[in-house]
Amino acid sequence: ISDIFTLSGHPVVVVNYTGSIGNFLEPYEARNFTEIFGNDVATGIKFAERVLKAKFPHPIIVADSFGSLVGLAAIASGQVHPSLFIDDAGVVKPSAIFKGRQTLPPEYLLHYLRRVVQDLEQPLEPQNLFPRAKDVRFIFLHGAYDETAPCADVEQFVSRFNALHPNQSAQLWINAFVRHEVRDKRDYDFVLDALRGSLAPAYYIGNSCSADYSFPGSAPSRRPTPGDH
């Protein structure tokens, strides 16, 4: 998704957040991950502003998988005020990172993940996030059979968030054929067409593609099946 915006002329900065490149916390560190991730993202935006000699008070956050927790935490911290949050197969419930694991990760990573869950579980609850997220436009792109970041968690998040009456309702687009990873052209077409359908004409994100996938549309009320058309 970042490439789509780059090719369309939008400046993009990639954030190496704490833990993404092996920079885990030491066991004795007591910093809270809401503030840590918020500072990571805010620092990336400040870098872009300095290099490009421009101001970006309301940037776009694009996140996937674990990175979605980082983006949401940045909002919860109050350090970043995006106009748009695009989530591709993202984890929105911190405790979900332990779902489906047959074995536990190494101790250094286990400590990191436990701290993330401990620090973010409550701040990222929709009712707690809402005061700082009510003006953000959320677009969620998800696979119906995602076992790493369960689709049901995202459906519940969107439903609960929209029940609080944000300025713009969060949208959920479900790909009825994909799990966690994008695997082929049809999956990329789904992502691009969903974004074009949601964002045009406010954002230019490239030409239309031929869509031969199946999806039920925005914010579906039920779980799709492979037979949906």
Side-chain angles (χ1 to χ4, degrees):
I1 296 176
S2 296
D3 289 344
I4 293 171
F5 280 95
T6 301
L7 292 171
S8 299
H10 299 282
V12 173
V13 60
V14 178
V15 177
N16 289 325
Y17 57 83
T18 301
S20 64
I21 53 174
N23 51 340
F24 300 105
L25 297 185
E26 295 295 332
Y28 59 82
E29 291 190 69
R31 293 182 295 160
N32 187 284
F33 266 102
T34 305
E35 297 304 316
I36 291 172
F37 287 153
N39 183 68
D40 289 344
V41 177
T43 299
I45 294 170
K46 289 175 183 176
F47 170 79
E49 290 179 334
R50 185 170 68 252
V51 170
L52 297 173
K53 296 180 173 57
K55 290 294 183 181
F56 304 106
H58 302 292
I60 298 170
I61 293 179
V62 177
D64 73 315
S65 198
F66 185 90
S68 295
L69 295 179
V70 178
L72 292 172
I75 296 173
S77 73
Q79 298 183 60
V80 181
H81 309 281
S83 60
L84 174 66
F85 188 104
I86 300 174
D87 176 293
D88 181 23
V91 179
V92 297
K93 187 173 179 60
S95 57
I97 61 180
F98 288 112
K99 285 184 179 179
R101 284 185 175 269
Q102 301 300 315
T103 58
L104 291 176
E107 186 60 34
Y108 69 90
L109 179 56
L110 183 60
H111 169 74
Y112 169 84
L113 293 177
R114 282 174 172 165
R115 281 286 309 280
V116 168
V117 173
Q118 172 186 307
D119 292 350
L120 298 187
E121 191 76 6
Q122 287 304 311
L124 300 193
E125 284 289 314
Q127 70 274 17
N128 298 329
L129 183 66
F130 183 79
R132 287 176 168 167
K134 62 184 178 181
D135 295 325
V136 180
R137 183 177 182 187
F138 286 97
I139 299 174
F140 295 89
L141 313 174
H142 222 82
Y145 299 99
D146 191 328
E147 296 172 350
T148 302
C151 190
D153 288 347
V154 182
E155 289 180 295
Q156 184 181 68
F157 181 95
V158 169
S159 176
R160 291 175 60 194
F161 184 82
N162 285 343
L164 298 170
H165 305 294
N167 288 336
Q168 296 189 74
S169 294
Q171 292 179 288
L172 171 58
W173 294 69
I174 294 179
N175 187 331
F177 299 100
V178 75
R179 294 182 184 274
H180 190 63
E181 302 292 339
V182 172
R183 300 183 183 276
D184 56 32
K185 182 179 181 297
R186 186 170 69 172
D187 297 335
Y188 283 106
D189 284 352
F190 163 79
V191 170
L192 185 53
D193 278 2
L195 290 179
R196 292 191 75 255
S198 298
L199 301 180
Y203 301 88
Y204 172 73
I205 57 170
N207 297 324
S208 178
C209 27
S210 58
D212 57 355
Y213 50 79
S214 169
F215 64 93
S218 174
S221 59
R222 62 182 179 83
R223 181 70 58 86
T225 65
D228 283 343
H229 291 284

